[in-house]
């Protein structure tokens, strides 16, 4: 009983008088309970990679309409480019008209090749006439006279061709069979042939002519270089039918077989020298000083220097000083020398071509230059659809966002 009693009493005394260790243990526990628990600190997560930058930098400020300024700038640029294409003639009607003219020309070339010269004459009056009218309108509205473009050699040749076709047409209608244009100038047929197959045909390649069907400037430039070689091919390919249908009107082609290559070459060179001497004198005295900025006049010479880096390098023209350098005599003489060398070389090819049957050199050459013009036209439309707007927006970004230093792919 005492043992149990002692145990009971011992238990009671331990509750009343705790030991020092127990007191220290309890006080430590109390302090731990009184400390406010600290919230768990969130662990830093790996940064999420930023989304790729957009090709066009965006400014977050909004205009009164709620649109972002950069979007409005891009829209204005697209509208300006669309206006340029429309002003150049882009429409469903002009495109359809260009396609129709090509199809009609191809059909008439095959169906009535002996009369294809009439097709060229009518088309020349319409296409060249419309180009001249548009240039007159442009000169009035823009204040820049572009009529001096037509003093270029290729344009002068086509004016001569259209005039001769008109004369031949009137003679045929009038029934003239004696003192015809061809009888008076029997060498004109030879001259027309070597001009068409030589300088005019090769200009398609050298000048990168393109069959852009809606743009009268491009279309007419291609017409004056591409149609004459095909017209001469039609006459040569159907020579007997031409002589029978139009007796006395194509005497120059009747003597083509008996003319040597050297004689054909000289016929072309002599005609060119007359133009070259007059044009060079005009350029040195007056033409080299003309520019839209200074005199309100433009020339083929200045246009080529501005648009063709190779021509600038050849003439010693600095890119940022085209107007000033072009007005010097030395670049003019370099340009005219290069022009002369190129034309004389093309006369050599033309004379060589005409000494063979048409199917040997002339026909493949015509197919070749047609392919060049079609391919260049395709490249031009590809540029319009896939590159033009991108290039314009890149330029706009550089102008409107000079602080933008990012160089992402596609910018």
């Amino acid at each position: 009983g005492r043992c149990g009693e002692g145990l009971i009493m011992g238990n009671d005394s331990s509750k009343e008088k705790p030991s020092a260790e127990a007191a220290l243990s309890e006080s430590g526990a109390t302090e731990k309970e009184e400390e406010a628990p600290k919230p768990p600190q969130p662990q830093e997560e790996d940064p999420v990679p930023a989304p790729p930058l957009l090709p066009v930098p965006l400014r977050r400020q909004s205009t009164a309409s709620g649109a972002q300024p950069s979007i409005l700038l891009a829209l204005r640029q697209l509208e300006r480019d669309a206006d340029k294409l429309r002003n150049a003639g882009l429409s469903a009607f002009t495109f359809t008209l260009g396609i129709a003219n090509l199809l009609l020309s191809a059909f008439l070339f095959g169906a009535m090749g002996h009369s294809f010269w009439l097709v060229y004459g009518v088309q020349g009056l319409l296409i060249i006439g419309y180009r001249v009218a548009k240039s007159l309108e442009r000169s009035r509205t823009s204040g820049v006279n572009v009529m001096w473009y037509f003093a270029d050699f290729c344009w002068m040749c086509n004016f001569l061709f259209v005039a001769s076709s008109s004369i031949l047409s009137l003679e045929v209608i009038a029934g003239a069979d004696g003192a015809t244009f061809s009888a008076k100038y029997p060498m004109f047929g030879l001259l027309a042939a070597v001009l068409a197959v030589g300088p005019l045909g090769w200009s398609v390649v050298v000048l990168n002519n393109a069959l852009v069907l809606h743009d009268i400037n491009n279309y007419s430039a291609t017409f004056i270089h591409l149609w004459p070689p095909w017209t001469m091919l039609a006459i040569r390919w159907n020579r007997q039918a031409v002589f029978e249908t139009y007796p006395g009107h194509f005497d120059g082609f009747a003597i083509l077989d008996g003319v040597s290559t050297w004689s054909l070459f000289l016929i072309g060179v002599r005609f060119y020298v007359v133009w070259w001497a007059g044009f060079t004198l005009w350029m040195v005295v007056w033409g080299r000083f003309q520019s839209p900025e200074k005199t309100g006049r433009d020339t083929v010479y200045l246009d080529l220097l501005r648009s063709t880096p190779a021509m600038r390098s050849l003439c010693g023209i600095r890119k940022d000083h085209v107007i000033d350098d072009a007005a010097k005599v030395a670049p003019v003489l370099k340009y005219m020398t290069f022009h002369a060398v190129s034309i004389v070389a093309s006369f050599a090819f033309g004379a060589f071509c005409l000494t063979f049957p048409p199917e040997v050199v002339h026909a493949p050459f015509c197919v070749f230059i047609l392919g060049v013009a079609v391919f260049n036209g395709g490249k031009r439309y590809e540029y319009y659809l896939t590159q033009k707007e991108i290039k314009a927006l890149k330029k706009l970004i550089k102008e409107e966002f000079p602080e933008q230093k990012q160089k992402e792919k596609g910018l």
Side-chain angles (χ1 to χ4, degrees):
R2 288 182 182 272
C3 289
E5 192 175 320
L7 287 172
I8 295 172
M9 290 178 65
N11 288 343
D12 291 342
S13 62
S14 65
K15 288 180 182 179
E16 291 176 1
K17 295 180 181 180
S19 64
E21 279 183 279
L24 289 172
S25 174
E26 287 182 9
S27 65
T30 304
E31 288 177 2
K32 289 180 180 179
E33 290 176 0
E34 290 177 355
E35 290 180 358
K38 296 181 180 180
Q41 297 295 328
Q43 295 181 354
E44 293 185 1
E45 299 180 359
D46 295 335
V48 178
L53 294 174
L54 294 174
V56 178
L58 298 179
R59 292 183 176 180
R60 296 301 178 186
Q61 296 85 0
S62 297
T63 62
S65 63
Q68 296 174 2
S70 57
I71 299 299
L72 293 179
L73 288 171
L75 178 60
R76 298 296 179 267
Q77 181 64 47
L78 295 176
E79 290 174 344
R80 284 194 294 269
D81 290 343
D83 288 338
K84 288 181 182 178
L85 289 174
R86 280 191 290 267
N87 292 334
L90 180 59
S91 69
F93 174 76
T94 55
F95 188 85
T96 303
L97 192 62
I99 288 289
N101 183 59
L102 290 179
L103 294 176
L104 180 63
S105 298
F107 172 76
L108 294 177
F109 180 88
M112 44 180 293
H114 63 286
S115 297
F116 194 74
W117 63 273
L118 278 170
V119 177
Y120 165 81
V122 174
Q123 290 179 331
L125 285 173
L126 296 175
I127 295 174
I128 296 177
Y130 183 63
R131 167 66 186 274
V132 172
K134 291 293 289 184
S135 296
L136 282 170
E137 179 185 356
R138 176 185 169 188
S139 299
R140 287 194 300 267
T141 57
S142 67
V144 178
N145 188 343
V146 295
M147 299 306 293
W148 289 107
Y149 280 23
F150 299 113
D152 190 65
F153 182 69
C154 295
W155 281 106
M156 298 299 292
C157 290
N158 275 267
F159 291 147
L160 184 62
F161 289 170
V162 171
S164 63
S165 296
S166 301
I167 293 173
L168 287 174
S169 301
L170 293 175
E171 288 180 346
V172 170
I173 294 173
D177 55 1
T180 62
F181 178 82
S182 181
K184 293 179 181 178
Y185 307 101
M187 304 301 290
F188 180 78
L190 301 179
L191 174 62
V194 75
L195 285 172
V197 185
L200 297 180
W202 276 108
S203 292
V204 175
V205 180
V206 175
L207 299 178
N208 285 323
N209 285 154
L211 270 174
V212 179
L213 303 178
H214 69 273
D215 187 346
I216 186 59
N217 289 339
N218 280 286
Y219 198 84
S220 60
T222 303
F223 175 84
I224 66 172
H225 298 133
L226 183 62
W227 262 249
W230 279 91
T231 302
M232 292 304 158
L233 177 62
I235 293 174
R236 294 188 67 204
W237 199 286
N238 303 277
R239 189 173 63 167
Q240 192 60 37
V242 170
F243 295 156
E244 294 175 358
T245 308
Y246 308 105
H249 294 285
F250 290 88
D251 293 343
F253 292 94
I255 62 174
L256 181 60
D257 292 340
V259 180
S260 66
T261 304
W262 178 248
S263 298
L264 287 171
F265 173 75
L266 289 180
I267 290 172
V269 170
R270 288 167 183 163
F271 176 80
Y272 173 73
V273 166
V274 174
W275 174 88
W276 187 91
F279 190 81
T280 302
L281 179 62
W282 173 80
M283 283 293 299
V284 170
V285 174
W286 191 76
R288 62 190 173 101
F289 300 109
Q290 308 311 308
S291 67
E293 293 82 359
K294 292 186 176 182
T295 64
R297 302 180 185 91
D298 203 1
T299 61
V300 171
Y301 164 70
L302 185 61
D303 181 66
L304 283 174
L305 291 178
R306 281 176 160 168
S307 61
T308 312
M311 187 61 68
R312 288 197 301 269
S313 177
L314 182 69
C315 297
I317 301 293
R318 294 169 296 175
K319 182 178 180 180
D320 298 331
H321 300 81
V322 174
I323 296 177
D324 294 333
D325 291 350
K328 299 175 182 178
V329 175
V332 172
L333 295 179
K334 291 178 182 179
Y335 170 79
M336 294 308 301
T337 300
F338 173 76
H339 195 283
V341 171
S342 302
I343 296 297
V344 170
S346 68
F347 277 133
F349 172 83
F352 172 79
C353 173
L354 293 173
T355 56
F356 291 91
E359 64 272 13
V360 176
V361 181
H362 194 162
F365 176 66
C366 285
V367 173
F368 167 68
I369 59 177
L370 175 61
V372 170
V374 172
F375 179 75
N376 288 340
K379 284 175 59 180
R380 192 69 59 87
Y381 280 110
E382 180 185 16
Y383 171 76
Y384 289 152
L385 294 174
T386 64
Q387 301 179 37
K388 188 174 188 295
E389 303 304 340
I390 296 175
K391 185 177 180 180
L393 290 177
K394 286 180 182 179
K395 182 179 178 182
L396 181 65
I397 290 171
K398 292 180 181 179
E399 293 175 352
E400 299 295 336
F401 301 92
E403 72 282 0
Q404 184 69 21
K405 302 298 183 182
Q406 298 162 348
K407 296 180 180 180
E408 300 294 329
K409 185 179 180 181
L411 276 178

